[in-house]
Amino acid sequence: MALNNDKKLENHARLLVKCPDKPGIVSVLSTFLYKHNANIIESSQYSSDPENGTFFIRIEYHCENLQSKISEMENEFAQIASDYEMDYSFYYLNKRQRSAIFCSKELHCLLELLWEWQNGDLETDIALVVSNHEAARQIVESYGIPFYYLPANKDIRKQVEAEQIKLMDEYNVDLLILARYMQILTPEFVDHFENRIINIHHSFLPAFIGANPYERAHKRGVKLIGATSHYVTNELDEGPIIEQDVERVDHRADVTTLRKIGSQIERRVLTKAVKWHLENRIIVEGNKTIVFH
Amino acid sequence: MALNNDKKLENHARLLVKCPDKPGIVSVLSTFLYKHNANIIESSQYSSDPENGTFFIRIEYHCENLQSKISEMENEFAQIASDYEMDYSFYYLNKRQRSAIFCSKELHCLLELLWEWQNGDLETDIALVVSNHEAARQIVESYGIPFYYLPANKDIRKQVEAEQIKLMDEYNVDLLILARYMQILTPEFVDHFENRIINIHHSFLPAFIGANPYERAHKRGVKLIGATSHYVTNELDEGPIIEQDVERVDHRADVTTLRKIGSQIERRVLTKAVKWHLENRIIVEGNKTIVFH
Amino acid sequence: MALNNDKKLENHARLLVKCPDKPGIVSVLSTFLYKHNANIIESSQYSSDPENGTFFIRIEYHCENLQSKISEMENEFAQIASDYEMDYSFYYLNKRQRSAIFCSKELHCLLELLWEWQNGDLETDIALVVSNHEAARQIVESYGIPFYYLPANKDIRKQVEAEQIKLMDEYNVDLLILARYMQILTPEFVDHFENRIINIHHSFLPAFIGANPYERAHKRGVKLIGATSHYVTNELDEGPIIEQDVERVDHRADVTTLRKIGSQIERRVLTKAVKWHLENRIIVEGNKTIVFH
Amino acid sequence: MALNNDKKLENHARLLVKCPDKPGIVSVLSTFLYKHNANIIESSQYSSDPENGTFFIRIEYHCENLQSKISEMENEFAQIASDYEMDYSFYYLNKRQRSAIFCSKELHCLLELLWEWQNGDLETDIALVVSNHEAARQIVESYGIPFYYLPANKDIRKQVEAEQIKLMDEYNVDLLILARYMQILTPEFVDHFENRIINIHHSFLPAFIGANPYERAHKRGVKLIGATSHYVTNELDEGPIIEQDVERVDHRADVTTLRKIGSQIERRVLTKAVKWHLENRIIVEGNKTIVFH
């Protein structure tokens, strides 16, 4: 990962924990942090069930001289984690995640992400953009971001994915964002990036899974259209939902109008999901997400 | 239908027309009304396609001494309708539609309808309430509305429906409102009341068609739950959608919470759909609705 | 306060704390609870500023045999509170708060509160309803709740308030809910119930402070109307805002229509605010609220 | 105005009429259009009051060989307009309106407008962009649009406005869009462009008129923030409102966060207002707007 020189981020970290619920977890976690002079800035927790449920917590903390304490803290924490059967991750804010954006011909989602990123509102380095069309090249390169044109279709899927994986490795990519990429990914590819591929689907899932959701929404005569951002799994449009939103439409809206209205929903829903992922606000549990806003 | 003595309504009517689109329709309709000294109060139109489409219009008008002119106007209009191949209906506001509400044990939708009706916000006489539980009797009778307890289940469906149809005939019912009635109706029953049965389904259709939508929404981990009001057809939850709405939920919401939040959506969505139907704002076209707000 | 016999609530409590922010607070609080075998069910916190800010936390916990431990726990906590300069309160769920609803002629807010209360969705005993009109008597008494008709106007304000305070004392009222009561309260009355009077104002404050907000919204030609629930202070409509919501309107809406649409907003906004107050989710800080949803 | 060569637009026009309400208006208008072989594509009307009110109508129509019929139709219409005391305008879609965008340092509204315009979703030619900062130059010029840097402040207002008016004349500008321009305009300037200057104010007016609305919203502790698009008049932020929208916020949002959330509202509210203006959907009546969606 690229180092970020921002001094303020050096002492800033997050701890995400998942474990069987039982009394004393918050006490042990907060006492651990206190002992190391870490100050909790934000803390959110959720218990799936007070009795025999699973406990989830996200703690954001600040700690003077954090960089020099990391290995000691992580070593000590390993024992706590073992005692409480914790799944856990530490995230350090000076190590920014690296993202790859995959897009096709429709660029509204890409442009929204670039805009938010340029404003400093996405905690990531956009390492590269990959597309099966040339449409985005000019705008992407104007931001100084490498652009790769990789034609893609059913027949050449495997070899294209091999190239894509090579690029992801080469650029040390942590997160893949499918900004209306419109290509099916193979199970091998998806497994390679488990819970690290975010897609935007242009319907309020589980309605209109699959192709042509606006056409089908029009045909069904719905009064609301929506978009859904979710992690990609090997079941089409069935992955854990991160965010959804809708807009009102009426009988006058033809498919073109639905698509225009929908594009506004898509870009804000995808951007929120990506932002929350990068801020480590999302825990995937089974086929659902816990999102600590 | 019951006569309403409100003087102001005697001179108040609506004309709904559907016909092949071509130039001159608005001219002929508005000239017809003007000749009879009718003043257009509200007019809304929609054309499915400027070329070879279908034209729809709803005109609300006021006309002094309307009652004495009705037969003459309707006779004269028959010729226009024939010339332009119009499907059409005149509605006179002093003839209020008569409604039957069908409910079960969950009463939030029934209560909302009664409350709006008591406030004078529903243009209908509520002729009777039918339920397969006794839960609503007390509140319904406190409004002076006849309540009929008719047990219903799969095994006795046919004979129960025969009784229900008898009641509908006896009470001259124009509109059936299924306020969380939760029973499947037979094709015979549905055909008997084509485009005159309004149901509320507790999901944003076409997601979660059928039973237990809140349980399934919870399982899928959606971030929005909804409700849909639609005309009942013989395809379960596939009838023309009149209105839909949603509310935001998160991972903390269990099924009970979804149900509570959902009940707020259901009651407002059903009430709007019923209100628009009674105000003759809805035209059913194929499996879709045109709603002139 | 009335005792509630619900066994499940006996072992259920909440702790709200406000204090100067510094490291270790969560540790000391969670360790205190853990020592007493209390299991944290829900915890939400907020820090106004990581440096020299104020820290707020709401912890909901469950503890076997809580009733027998209360005095010991509270005694021990007093020392912690002193060390950390904490303002704090313990709330025990078997002691339900007692509410008085004040209303006038428009009953939509009252009816919504009664309906939610009857469904078991408000953690309160509604001790009495006070009104300056008789309109609500029948419905209130049908719920078995005492109804007091106390005429009120500018000239007799002081003596009416004296009677009202007497009633509040007699019925041990904790919370006053102004459900469209429409009378100004004197500073003496307001001071007597600081942060315990919740009002619903029929505009999105700070727009349209004072009388006739719907008329003024109509005159201004706004495209959204709203309602605001807030704690009552001695500055008219300037108290801490708890909740607000809006609905879209257009040029066709006259004042009567605005009032109808608005009444739907009012009833849901007031009910949410009351619900959150009763669940101890609100901390008043200066002229603002922290609401832990 | 620039001619647009799009053949499809040559036969496409709109007629907006305002006149005292009386029977026969729709008849005379629709008969006039029918006689000239014009087909009504969309028609919306509103009457402020059925008795002695004002009638407003917007008709969009298609007419073969329209360009050759314009003078004849307009001449003939003058007589109808005189008979019915009509204010009216014909708009021909092949004559696109010309817009000037005024901006300052914050570019989100400008960028949204440019993006919608590039997508073909704004019926206008963007003639030039004027700013009191250089920040937008590069992006504006990359679209091939002239950019003018005119420093502006209180002391040099008169002479800057003289230059601006000269530019508006030189570029034949029909509409001025203040995309977060943040400068007060003099009455002389405003009068010169009556009902042709659209501003975006970053609050839900009439709350937080004037400077620093986000700071004041934060201080007041509102739970919704908004934005309002309106025509500029000589009363600050008091002009006819075209569109408003809001987003939910909570106690955690500091002023920076409010500003970020607000910028999303601003850009969509301004873009809608501009779009409706360009589609001749707005009639200003007193200090209010009628918007025919």
Side-chain angles (χ1 to χ4, degrees):
Chain A
M1 291 186 187
L3 283 207
N4 183 300
N5 290 317
D6 192 341
K7 278 280 174 199
K8 291 193 298 190
L9 297 180
E10 276 183 6
N11 296 325
H12 205 130
R14 296 173 189 136
L15 170 59
L16 270 74
V17 170
K18 168 185 162 182
C19 63
D21 199 1
K22 62 178 174 179
I25 301 169
V26 177
S27 172
V28 77
L29 291 174
S30 55
T31 303
F32 164 79
L33 289 169
Y34 180 47
K35 259 185 52 188
H36 292 276
N37 293 309
N39 193 14
I40 297 174
I41 290 167
E42 195 181 323
S43 175
S44 308
Q45 64 189 70
Y46 167 65
S47 178
S48 64
D49 191 335
E51 293 180 48
N52 301 315
T54 303
F55 179 82
F56 306 86
I57 193 165
R58 174 190 183 274
I59 300 175
E60 191 158 331
Y61 58 93
H62 183 270
C63 187
E64 288 299 314
N65 302 314
L66 176 61
Q67 298 301 315
S68 64
K69 296 174 170 177
I70 287 179
S71 62
E72 183 198 343
M73 285 177 77
E74 293 204 2
N75 284 339
E76 188 183 325
F77 194 78
Q79 184 57 50
I80 294 173
S82 166
D83 293 349
Y84 284 83
E85 299 170 77
M86 290 174 175
D87 282 345
Y88 70 101
S89 304
F90 284 93
Y91 299 95
Y92 300 100
L93 270 73
N94 62 337
K95 294 196 187 166
R96 285 163 77 90
Q97 293 189 56
R98 293 173 62 77
S99 300
I101 303 176
F102 282 48
C103 67
S104 182
K105 276 184 300 189
E106 296 203 63
L107 304 186
H108 52 281
C109 288
L110 171 71
L111 288 171
E112 187 78 5
L113 290 166
L114 291 174
W115 173 245
E116 289 285 310
W117 171 75
Q118 191 186 37
N119 280 347
D121 292 331
L122 293 185
E123 289 184 10
T124 192
D125 295 323
I126 300 183
L128 75 165
V129 172
V130 173
S131 180
N132 56 339
H133 288 89
E134 287 282 4
R137 180 182 294 276
Q138 198 187 347
I139 182 80
V140 169
E141 291 182 347
S142 81
Y143 280 94
I145 299 170
F147 176 86
Y148 289 85
Y149 167 60
L150 292 182
N153 62 55
K154 241 168 80 178
D155 301 328
I156 55 171
R157 185 155 295 153
K158 289 255 168 193
Q159 69 211 63
V160 171
E161 287 191 350
E163 283 186 76
Q164 290 170 339
I165 288 177
K166 217 180 113 205
L167 276 173
M168 299 304 106
D169 288 347
E170 190 182 320
Y171 281 94
N172 289 310
V173 165
D174 300 295
L175 173 67
L176 269 75
I177 305 166
L178 307 186
R180 295 296 306 272
Y181 178 55
M182 311 303 287
Q183 295 287 320
I184 304 277
L185 305 171
T186 67
E188 291 71 33
F189 190 91
V190 170
D191 290 346
H192 201 270
F193 299 100
E194 196 191 357
N195 292 341
R196 294 193 293 138
I197 310 176
I198 295 180
N199 185 43
I200 180 73
H201 183 72
H202 36 316
S203 80
F204 48 89
L205 291 175
F208 308 123
I209 288 172
N212 301 321
Y214 291 129
E215 284 79 355
R216 288 151 68 202
H218 185 256
K219 199 166 166 226
R220 182 62 187 91
V222 293
K223 302 298 186 186
L224 296 171
I225 58 165
T228 304
S229 191
H230 63 94
Y231 288 110
V232 174
T233 61
N234 283 316
E235 307 250 9
L236 183 63
D237 298 331
E238 294 281 10
I241 293 172
I242 304 169
E243 173 65 349
Q244 306 188 278
D245 207 352
V246 295
E247 290 276 345
R248 194 159 284 281
V249 297
D250 70 22
H251 58 272
R252 295 172 300 180
D254 57 16
V255 174
T256 304
T257 304
L258 294 187
R259 209 173 273 130
K260 273 186 205 298
I261 295 169
S263 70
Q264 303 276 354
I265 317 172
E266 293 165 31
R267 62 184 196 169
R268 69 173 184 255
V269 166
L270 177 60
T271 303
K272 279 186 183 174
V274 167
K275 196 168 147 57
W276 296 336
H277 177 94
L278 293 168
E279 295 175 357
N280 314 116
R281 296 190 176 280
I282 312 176
I283 299 177
V284 176
E285 173 67 356
N287 202 43
K288 298 162 75 165
T289 61
I290 292 151
V291 184
F292 291 122
H293 295 285
Chain B
M1 289 185 187
L3 283 207
N4 182 300
N5 291 318
D6 190 342
K7 278 282 174 196
K8 291 191 297 189
L9 296 180
E10 277 184 5
N11 296 325
H12 204 128
R14 295 173 190 138
L15 170 59
L16 269 75
V17 170
K18 168 185 161 182
C19 63
D21 198 0
K22 63 177 174 180
I25 300 169
V26 178
S27 172
V28 76
L29 292 174
S30 55
T31 303
F32 164 79
L33 289 170
Y34 179 48
K35 260 186 51 189
H36 291 277
N37 292 311
N39 194 13
I40 298 175
I41 291 166
E42 195 181 324
S43 174
S44 307
Q45 61 189 72
Y46 167 66
S47 177
S48 64
D49 191 335
E51 293 179 49
N52 301 314
T54 304
F55 179 82
F56 305 86
I57 193 166
R58 174 190 185 273
I59 300 174
E60 192 157 332
Y61 59 93
H62 183 270
C63 187
E64 288 299 314
N65 301 314
L66 177 61
Q67 298 302 316
S68 65
K69 296 172 168 181
I70 287 178
S71 62
E72 183 198 343
M73 285 177 77
E74 293 205 1
N75 284 338
E76 189 184 323
F77 195 78
Q79 186 56 52
I80 294 172
S82 167
D83 293 348
Y84 285 82
E85 301 171 76
M86 288 174 176
D87 283 347
Y88 71 100
S89 305
F90 284 93
Y91 299 94
Y92 301 100
L93 271 72
N94 62 337
K95 294 196 186 165
R96 285 163 76 91
Q97 293 188 55
R98 292 173 63 77
S99 301
I101 302 176
F102 282 48
C103 67
S104 182
K105 275 183 299 189
E106 296 202 64
L107 304 186
H108 52 281
C109 288
L110 170 71
L111 288 171
E112 186 77 7
L113 290 166
L114 291 174
W115 172 246
E116 289 286 309
W117 170 75
Q118 192 187 36
N119 279 348
D121 292 331
L122 292 184
E123 290 183 9
T124 192
D125 295 322
I126 299 182
L128 74 165
V129 172
V130 174
S131 180
N132 58 338
H133 288 89
E134 287 283 4
R137 180 183 293 278
Q138 197 186 349
I139 181 81
V140 169
E141 292 182 347
S142 81
Y143 281 93
I145 299 170
F147 176 87
Y148 288 86
Y149 167 60
L150 292 183
N153 61 55
K154 240 167 77 178
D155 301 328
I156 56 171
R157 185 155 295 154
K158 290 255 169 193
Q159 71 211 62
V160 171
E161 287 191 350
E163 283 185 77
Q164 289 169 341
I165 289 177
K166 217 178 114 205
L167 276 172
M168 299 304 107
D169 288 346
E170 190 183 322
Y171 280 94
N172 289 310
V173 165
D174 301 295
L175 174 67
L176 268 75
I177 305 165
L178 307 185
R180 297 294 308 270
Y181 178 54
M182 311 305 287
Q183 295 287 320
I184 304 276
L185 304 172
T186 67
E188 292 70 34
F189 190 91
V190 170
D191 290 345
H192 202 271
F193 299 99
E194 196 191 357
N195 293 341
R196 295 193 293 136
I197 310 177
I198 295 179
N199 184 42
I200 180 74
H201 183 72
H202 37 317
S203 80
F204 49 90
L205 290 175
F208 309 122
I209 289 173
N212 301 322
Y214 291 128
E215 282 80 354
R216 288 152 67 204
H218 185 256
K219 200 167 165 225
R220 181 62 187 92
V222 293
K223 301 299 186 185
L224 296 171
I225 58 165
T228 304
S229 191
H230 63 94
Y231 287 109
V232 174
T233 61
N234 284 316
E235 306 250 8
L236 182 64
D237 299 330
E238 294 281 10
I241 292 172
I242 304 169
E243 173 66 348
Q244 307 188 279
D245 207 352
V246 295
E247 291 277 344
R248 196 159 282 282
V249 296
D250 69 22
H251 57 272
R252 295 172 299 180
D254 57 15
V255 174
T256 304
T257 303
L258 294 186
R259 208 172 274 130
K260 274 185 203 301
I261 294 170
S263 70
Q264 303 276 354
I265 317 173
E266 293 165 30
R267 63 185 197 169
R268 71 174 183 255
V269 166
L270 177 61
T271 303
K272 279 186 183 175
V274 167
K275 195 167 148 58
W276 295 336
H277 177 94
L278 294 168
E279 295 174 358
N280 314 116
R281 295 190 176 279
I282 311 176
I283 299 178
V284 175
E285 173 68 355
N287 202 44
K288 297 162 76 164
T289 62
I290 292 151
V291 184
F292 291 122
H293 296 285
Chain C
M1 290 185 188
L3 282 207
N4 182 300
N5 291 317
D6 191 342
K7 278 281 175 197
K8 290 192 298 189
L9 298 180
E10 276 183 7
N11 295 325
H12 204 129
R14 296 173 190 137
L15 170 59
L16 269 75
V17 171
K18 168 185 161 183
C19 64
D21 198 1
K22 61 178 175 181
I25 300 169
V26 178
S27 172
V28 76
L29 291 174
S30 55
T31 304
F32 164 78
L33 289 169
Y34 179 48
K35 260 185 52 187
H36 291 276
N37 293 310
N39 194 14
I40 297 175
I41 291 166
E42 195 181 324
S43 174
S44 308
Q45 61 190 73
Y46 167 67
S47 178
S48 64
D49 191 334
E51 295 179 47
N52 301 313
T54 303
F55 179 82
F56 305 86
I57 193 164
R58 174 190 184 274
I59 300 174
E60 192 158 330
Y61 58 93
H62 183 270
C63 186
E64 288 299 314
N65 301 315
L66 176 62
Q67 298 302 315
S68 64
K69 296 172 169 181
I70 286 178
S71 62
E72 182 198 345
M73 285 177 78
E74 293 203 2
N75 284 339
E76 187 183 325
F77 194 79
Q79 185 58 49
I80 295 172
S82 166
D83 293 349
Y84 284 82
E85 300 171 76
M86 290 173 174
D87 282 346
Y88 70 100
S89 305
F90 284 92
Y91 298 94
Y92 301 100
L93 271 73
N94 62 337
K95 293 196 187 165
R96 285 164 76 91
Q97 292 189 55
R98 293 173 61 78
S99 300
I101 303 176
F102 282 49
C103 66
S104 182
K105 274 184 300 190
E106 296 202 63
L107 305 186
H108 52 282
C109 288
L110 171 71
L111 288 171
E112 187 77 6
L113 289 166
L114 291 174
W115 172 246
E116 289 286 309
W117 170 76
Q118 192 186 37
N119 279 348
D121 292 331
L122 293 185
E123 290 183 9
T124 192
D125 296 322
I126 298 183
L128 75 164
V129 172
V130 173
S131 181
N132 57 338
H133 288 89
E134 286 283 4
R137 180 183 294 278
Q138 197 186 349
I139 182 80
V140 169
E141 291 182 346
S142 80
Y143 281 93
I145 299 169
F147 176 87
Y148 289 85
Y149 167 60
L150 292 183
N153 61 55
K154 240 167 79 177
D155 301 328
I156 57 171
R157 185 155 294 154
K158 289 255 167 192
Q159 69 212 63
V160 171
E161 287 192 350
E163 283 185 77
Q164 289 170 340
I165 289 178
K166 218 180 113 204
L167 276 172
M168 298 305 105
D169 288 347
E170 190 183 321
Y171 281 94
N172 288 310
V173 166
D174 300 295
L175 173 67
L176 268 75
I177 306 166
L178 307 186
R180 296 294 307 270
Y181 178 55
M182 311 303 286
Q183 295 287 318
I184 305 275
L185 305 172
T186 67
E188 291 70 34
F189 190 91
V190 170
D191 290 345
H192 201 270
F193 299 99
E194 197 191 357
N195 292 340
R196 294 194 292 137
I197 310 177
I198 295 179
N199 185 42
I200 180 75
H201 183 71
H202 37 317
S203 80
F204 48 89
L205 290 174
F208 309 123
I209 288 172
N212 301 320
Y214 291 128
E215 283 79 355
R216 288 152 67 204
H218 185 256
K219 198 166 166 227
R220 181 63 188 91
V222 294
K223 302 298 185 184
L224 297 170
I225 57 165
T228 305
S229 191
H230 63 95
Y231 287 109
V232 175
T233 61
N234 283 317
E235 306 250 9
L236 183 63
D237 299 330
E238 294 281 10
I241 293 172
I242 303 169
E243 173 66 347
Q244 306 188 277
D245 207 351
V246 295
E247 291 276 345
R248 195 159 283 281
V249 297
D250 69 23
H251 58 271
R252 295 173 298 182
D254 57 15
V255 175
T256 304
T257 303
L258 294 186
R259 208 173 274 129
K260 273 187 204 299
I261 294 170
S263 70
Q264 302 276 352
I265 317 173
E266 293 164 31
R267 64 185 197 169
R268 70 174 185 255
V269 166
L270 177 60
T271 303
K272 279 186 184 175
V274 167
K275 195 167 149 57
W276 296 335
H277 177 94
L278 294 168
E279 295 174 357
N280 314 115
R281 295 190 176 279
I282 311 176
I283 299 178
V284 175
E285 173 68 355
N287 202 43
K288 297 162 76 166
T289 61
I290 292 151
V291 184
F292 291 122
H293 295 285
Chain D
M1 290 185 187
L3 283 205
N4 182 300
N5 291 316
D6 191 341
K7 278 281 174 197
K8 291 192 297 192
L9 297 180
E10 277 183 5
N11 295 325
H12 205 129
R14 295 172 189 137
L15 171 58
L16 269 75
V17 171
K18 168 185 162 181
C19 64
D21 199 1
K22 61 177 176 181
I25 300 169
V26 177
S27 171
V28 77
L29 291 175
S30 54
T31 302
F32 164 79
L33 289 170
Y34 179 48
K35 258 186 52 187
H36 291 277
N37 292 310
N39 194 14
I40 297 174
I41 291 167
E42 195 181 324
S43 175
S44 307
Q45 62 189 71
Y46 167 66
S47 179
S48 65
D49 191 334
E51 294 180 46
N52 300 316
T54 304
F55 179 82
F56 305 86
I57 192 165
R58 175 191 184 273
I59 300 176
E60 192 158 331
Y61 59 93
H62 183 270
C63 187
E64 288 300 314
N65 302 314
L66 176 61
Q67 297 302 316
S68 65
K69 295 173 170 180
I70 287 178
S71 63
E72 183 199 344
M73 286 178 77
E74 293 204 3
N75 284 338
E76 189 183 324
F77 195 78
Q79 185 57 51
I80 295 172
S82 166
D83 294 349
Y84 285 83
E85 300 170 77
M86 289 174 174
D87 282 345
Y88 71 100
S89 305
F90 284 93
Y91 298 94
Y92 301 100
L93 272 71
N94 61 338
K95 293 195 187 165
R96 285 163 77 91
Q97 293 188 56
R98 292 173 63 76
S99 299
I101 303 176
F102 282 48
C103 67
S104 182
K105 275 183 299 189
E106 295 203 63
L107 304 186
H108 52 282
C109 288
L110 170 71
L111 288 171
E112 186 78 5
L113 290 166
L114 291 174
W115 172 245
E116 289 286 308
W117 170 75
Q118 192 186 36
N119 280 347
D121 292 332
L122 293 184
E123 290 183 10
T124 192
D125 294 323
I126 300 182
L128 75 166
V129 172
V130 174
S131 180
N132 57 339
H133 288 89
E134 287 283 3
R137 181 183 293 278
Q138 197 188 347
I139 181 81
V140 169
E141 291 182 346
S142 80
Y143 281 94
I145 299 170
F147 176 86
Y148 289 86
Y149 167 60
L150 293 183
N153 62 55
K154 239 167 81 178
D155 301 328
I156 56 170
R157 185 155 294 154
K158 289 254 167 191
Q159 69 212 62
V160 171
E161 287 192 350
E163 282 185 77
Q164 289 169 340
I165 289 178
K166 218 179 112 203
L167 276 172
M168 299 303 107
D169 287 347
E170 190 183 322
Y171 280 94
N172 289 309
V173 165
D174 300 296
L175 174 67
L176 269 75
I177 306 165
L178 307 186
R180 297 295 307 271
Y181 178 54
M182 311 304 286
Q183 294 287 320
I184 304 275
L185 305 171
T186 67
E188 292 70 34
F189 189 91
V190 170
D191 290 345
H192 201 271
F193 299 100
E194 197 191 356
N195 292 341
R196 295 193 292 138
I197 310 176
I198 295 180
N199 185 44
I200 180 74
H201 183 72
H202 37 315
S203 80
F204 49 89
L205 290 175
F208 309 123
I209 289 172
N212 301 320
Y214 292 128
E215 282 80 355
R216 289 151 66 204
H218 185 256
K219 200 167 164 224
R220 181 62 187 91
V222 294
K223 301 299 186 185
L224 296 171
I225 58 166
T228 304
S229 190
H230 64 94
Y231 287 110
V232 174
T233 62
N234 284 315
E235 307 250 8
L236 182 64
D237 298 331
E238 293 282 11
I241 292 171
I242 304 169
E243 174 66 349
Q244 306 187 279
D245 207 352
V246 295
E247 291 276 344
R248 195 159 283 283
V249 296
D250 69 22
H251 58 271
R252 295 172 299 180
D254 57 16
V255 175
T256 304
T257 304
L258 294 186
R259 208 173 273 130
K260 273 186 204 297
I261 294 169
S263 71
Q264 303 275 354
I265 317 173
E266 293 165 31
R267 63 184 198 170
R268 70 174 184 255
V269 166
L270 177 60
T271 302
K272 280 186 183 174
V274 167
K275 196 167 147 58
W276 296 336
H277 177 94
L278 294 168
E279 295 175 356
N280 313 117
R281 295 190 177 280
I282 311 176
I283 299 178
V284 175
E285 173 68 355
N287 202 43
K288 298 163 74 165
T289 62
I290 292 150
V291 184
F292 291 123
H293 296 286

